[in-house]
Structures are given as C-alpha cells and as structure tokens.
Amino acid sequence: MANEIYHKSNWGNPEKDGWGDVYFNPSATNRLYTRSDNYENVEGTDKALASKPDTQSVLMTPTAYSVGSMNSILPPYEVLPTELVTNGDFSSDSDWNKAAGWTISGGTANANSNSLTDLYQTIGSSAGKTYKVTFTISNYVAGSVKLLLGYGGSPEMPSFTASANGTYEVIQKTNSTNPQTLYVSTRTANTQLSIDNVSVKEVIRNADFTFDRNSTATRVNKEGLIETVAIDTPRLDYPFIDGVVQSEPSLLLEPARTNLINYSQDFSNSDWIDFNVNLTSGQSSPDGNSNSYLIESTNSSFLLYTQSAVSASTEYTFSYFFKEGTKDAVKIAFYNDNTNSFITQDAAQTLVDFGNGWKRIITSVTTPSGCTSLYSYIDRSSEIGTFYAFGAQLEQGSYPTSYIPTSGSSVT
C-alpha cells in the first residue's frame, strides 16, 4: 500500500467539492492524498492530513484543456440542480407550443408529421453558458428529430439530431446572442416517434484554471506544423530545438502583438514592391499547405519590400520563414521613408530552425527620430538566385512572437 495516490474522481456522480488539493505527508506516510471535505479514503487519512503542520501541497501540471479552461486532469461537468424545462415529462398537455403534427398524450410528446415542424417552449437559458440537454425517444417508426436552443427561431446552440429509440445527452455551449427557446424539430418529412423526459440544466466545468484570449492564434503542433487555434483555446506548443520538434508540449503564453504587414503570405500583392524578381506561388510551407513563394532575383538590383506605418524612436522586430534555393542567405534591410535613407542594409539576424529546411529569420530595428514610415526588405543582397519565403511579420517589441497571419490588414 505504499507510494499510493489518492484522488477522488467519482465520474458518474460529480460533486462540487470533489476535486480537492493533493497533499503529501513525509513524516506520517510516504503517500499522496487528495483532501476534500466530503470524501474519506479507506484509511481515514484524508481530513487528518489537512490539519498536520508538515503537510505540503502538490502542484499538478496542466495536461488537458478545452475552450476556456485548463486542467491537471479533465474533470467532469458539475450539473446545476435547476431544471429549465417545464413539464418535460409531458404529464399534461400544457406548457409546450405544438405546431401541426405534434400531440401530447399518454405522458409523451408524439410526432406524426409529413413536414418539418416544431415542438417548443421558452426556457431560462442564457448566451455564453453551457447546458446539458437530455431526452428519450420511444415508439420510433421513422424520421428524425433535432434539439436546439434558439432565439427568435435562430439556433444558438449547435443542434443534436437523433433517429432511433434511446436516451440521448448532449452538452453544448450557447453562442453570442440570447437563446430563450428549446426546440424539438422534425427533420424529415415522414417522422413518427415519441419524445419524453426532456431536461435542460446548466453545467459548469470544474477547471483548475480558466483561460481567455480574445483572438485566434498560432502554435506549432506535434507534427511540427504551424496551425491556428480558436479563440479562448490554450496553445500547447511543440517547440523546435535544433530543427527537431519536441515530443512534449509547453503552454504558449505571449503578450498581445500586432503584425503590421498587411499581406504576410501573399508576396505577389501590390503591397509588396518588387523589381527584377520572379515570384512563383504554390510552394510547400511551414503550415503544411502550398502557400509559400519561390523568389528568384534576376539581377543584382533585386528588390522586394513592403511599407508599414510605425512610431519614431521605437524598437520593432521583423521576421519571416526562409528556405534555401540556390541562395543560402539573405540580407535584411530597413529604409526610412521620411528621410529617403537606409537605416541598415544588412541587419544582424537570428535563425530558428523549424525543420524541413525552413528557418525563421529574426532581426530588430529601432526607428530613428521622425520616422513614421518604414520599408522592410526581404533581401537586399546583390547575389542572383532563388530562395523560398513565407510568413512575414513586423511587430513592435524587441523579440518575435508566434506567427500572426494577415491577408489585407494588420492583425493583433
């Protein structure tokens, strides 16, 4: 029994206080215990350890995540007790609005319809919350029904469709507007079945941490590809070290930054000024798609640059992803549009290896006094040849953040 871990899971019947802190008592035993006020392990040490002066708290590393939360383990939902549906057992023919094809009798709502039609009632649901919806189908003959939360007839909770006898459960988060109505809708012209035990209750995920980010963002996934993750979703980033993607991720947290380059990937756009250069699109890129460019300089006066509005006397970091063609290096240049002069034509570079031949070139520049318009050059060398480019980024700050794609305007 030595070296045991005690942690209440109680997956089938979650309780509000069921996820206590984990404690280790080195003098009493060599075991880890979970403390919660409503649980005792078999040896009765749970509450006893909580009062011992030499008890230490053990920090659990987050290893699971979902939208808006992070967890050391993925806990169950806590279902709140308030039932939002009235007469969900159909004990009487009341409280529900019945369109043609629906009847209520014998303790069930019955669909016998040759068209798409609704059974619905107003409930107390709210936007942006998560709900557990359950219902039972019996007497199934044909067709299907869809359950959804909506407002004014427009669905706000992703719908759930069922087409067989059985009890169903779906847990979904409502969207941005104000859903007030639960709909049970027939989805095929010939639907014959009965509905019973309809329930809607709010649920709360017992997360170890809450997480909030008001924009999408990129990370490197376990395949080593740059990908975009959704709003409010934590980024578990698999970093590259010496060109090898790591097998264990880390939580990627960064300050808010803005990519000031309007077209980060489309080097053929008129925002990019080119001279003596051939551009070939459709090349494989660090995000796994065919959206990088082969850039070919046709003589020593090769130019490819873009303009960005900046603040004077401010440090900026410029970066893009580079892959060798016949050229194995480039020179980064910055030009002060206000004085028609170069700030530098060969800025110092840092290279980060992203595997598959791709390296992120990183360089910084401090704008001179009075400089409010900056030209950033992909390459200012006089060498004729080819290379590949993807994902240009100019951001205020002394170091780069994760790649911020743009396609027509700056993006924060």
Side-chain angles (χ1 to χ4, degrees):
M1 295 294 291
N3 298 316
E4 294 179 347
I5 294 177
Y6 289 82
H7 204 300
K8 182 185 180 186
S9 59
N10 202 10
W11 290 94
N13 184 26
E15 298 177 21
K16 181 177 181 181
D17 296 320
W19 297 88
D21 299 326
V22 179
Y23 287 90
F24 173 58
N25 186 324
S27 61
T29 69
N30 191 27
R31 301 175 184 175
L32 290 172
Y33 296 95
T34 295
R35 182 189 67 77
S36 64
D37 292 338
N38 58 7
Y39 176 66
E40 291 286 337
N41 62 45
V42 293
E43 298 186 15
T45 56
D46 193 26
K47 292 181 179 178
L49 284 175
S51 62
K52 285 187 173 291
D54 58 352
T55 299
Q56 294 118 38
S57 176
V58 176
L59 177 64
M60 305 298 285
T61 302
T63 56
Y65 68 94
S66 60
V67 174
S69 69
M70 294 190 66
N71 313 278
S72 57
I73 56 177
L74 192 61
Y77 284 98
E78 174 194 344
V79 182
L80 299 184
T82 302
E83 175 60 65
L84 301 182
V85 175
T86 302
N87 191 26
D89 60 359
F90 302 102
S91 59
S92 63
D93 187 3
S94 61
D95 305 298
W96 291 89
N97 297 285
K98 307 185 298 292
W102 282 98
T103 61
I104 296 177
S105 64
T108 59
N110 310 295
N112 190 351
S113 173
N114 291 320
S115 62
L116 306 185
T117 183
D118 296 329
L119 173 74
Y120 61 96
Q121 72 167 258
T122 299
I123 62 174
S125 58
S126 301
K129 292 187 176 181
T130 301
Y131 294 91
K132 177 182 177 181
V133 181
T134 58
F135 63 101
T136 299
I137 293 180
S138 61
N139 305 317
Y140 178 83
V141 176
S144 63
V145 291
K146 178 172 70 173
L147 267 74
L148 57 87
L149 290 176
Y151 176 66
S154 299
E156 280 300 323
M157 185 182 79
S159 60
F160 180 83
T161 301
S163 57
N165 287 334
T167 297
Y168 297 88
E169 173 184 314
V170 58
I171 296 177
Q172 297 281 7
K173 183 177 181 180
T174 57
N175 295 333
S176 57
T177 58
N178 188 23
Q180 298 258 336
T181 304
L182 173 68
Y183 290 89
V184 183
S185 305
T186 59
R187 301 309 301 161
T188 55
N190 180 24
T191 298
Q192 298 179 54
L193 50 79
S194 298
I195 299 290
D196 194 8
N197 303 320
V198 180
S199 171
V200 177
K201 295 182 179 181
E202 184 183 351
V203 296
I204 298 175
R205 183 182 289 281
N206 294 316
D208 295 327
F209 310 93
T210 57
F211 184 87
D212 177 74
R213 186 187 60 251
N214 295 324
S215 68
T216 60
T218 61
R219 68 160 186 166
V220 175
N221 64 24
K222 62 182 179 180
E223 286 77 30
L225 300 176
I226 296 172
E227 69 174 11
T228 299
V229 298
I231 292 172
D232 290 339
T233 302
R235 287 178 293 169
L236 296 184
D237 185 69
Y238 293 78
F240 277 92
I241 298 179
D242 297 329
V244 178
V245 67
Q246 301 303 290
S247 60
E248 298 295 333
S250 58
L251 177 62
L252 180 56
L253 299 173
E254 298 176 307
R257 291 284 185 87
T258 300
N259 187 355
L260 300 173
I261 294 176
N262 293 330
Y263 290 88
S264 64
Q265 296 174 190
D266 186 4
F267 297 109
S268 67
N269 187 273
S270 59
D271 259 37
W272 287 93
I273 309 302
D274 64 88
F275 184 68
N276 292 328
V277 60
N278 292 328
L279 297 169
T280 305
S281 62
Q283 312 300 314
S284 179
S285 74
D287 67 4
N289 296 308
S290 298
N291 53 0
S292 71
Y293 275 79
L294 175 65
I295 298 174
E296 179 183 13
S297 55
T298 57
N299 69 34
S300 59
S301 298
F302 158 73
L303 299 175
L304 182 61
Y305 63 91
T306 189
Q307 184 273 339
S308 304
V310 295
S311 299
S313 305
T314 303
E315 187 172 17
Y316 290 86
T317 295
F318 177 64
S319 61
Y320 73 93
F321 294 87
F322 165 88
K323 186 176 182 179
E324 293 182 15
T326 60
K327 299 178 67 169
D328 60 5
V330 293
K331 292 183 178 180
I332 307 297
F334 297 103
Y335 186 85
N336 183 352
D337 188 33
N338 300 94
T339 60
N340 297 318
S341 61
F342 279 97
I343 302 170
T344 177
Q345 297 189 58
D346 189 8
Q349 303 174 13
T350 299
L351 300 179
V352 178
D353 193 338
F354 270 72
N356 298 316
W358 285 102
K359 295 178 173 63
R360 193 181 193 188
I361 296 178
I362 302 166
T363 186
S364 295
V365 62
T366 298
T367 55
S369 175
C371 177
T372 58
S373 179
L374 180 71
Y375 290 166
S376 302
Y377 285 74
I378 289 287
D379 186 18
R380 186 64 181 170
S381 67
S382 59
E383 179 187 356
I384 298 174
T386 63
F387 63 95
Y388 300 86
F390 170 83
Q393 185 159 310
L394 180 71
E395 57 194 300
Q396 182 178 332
S398 60
Y399 60 90
T401 56
S402 56
Y403 173 51
I404 306 171
T406 64
S407 58
S409 65
S410 61
V411 172
T412 299

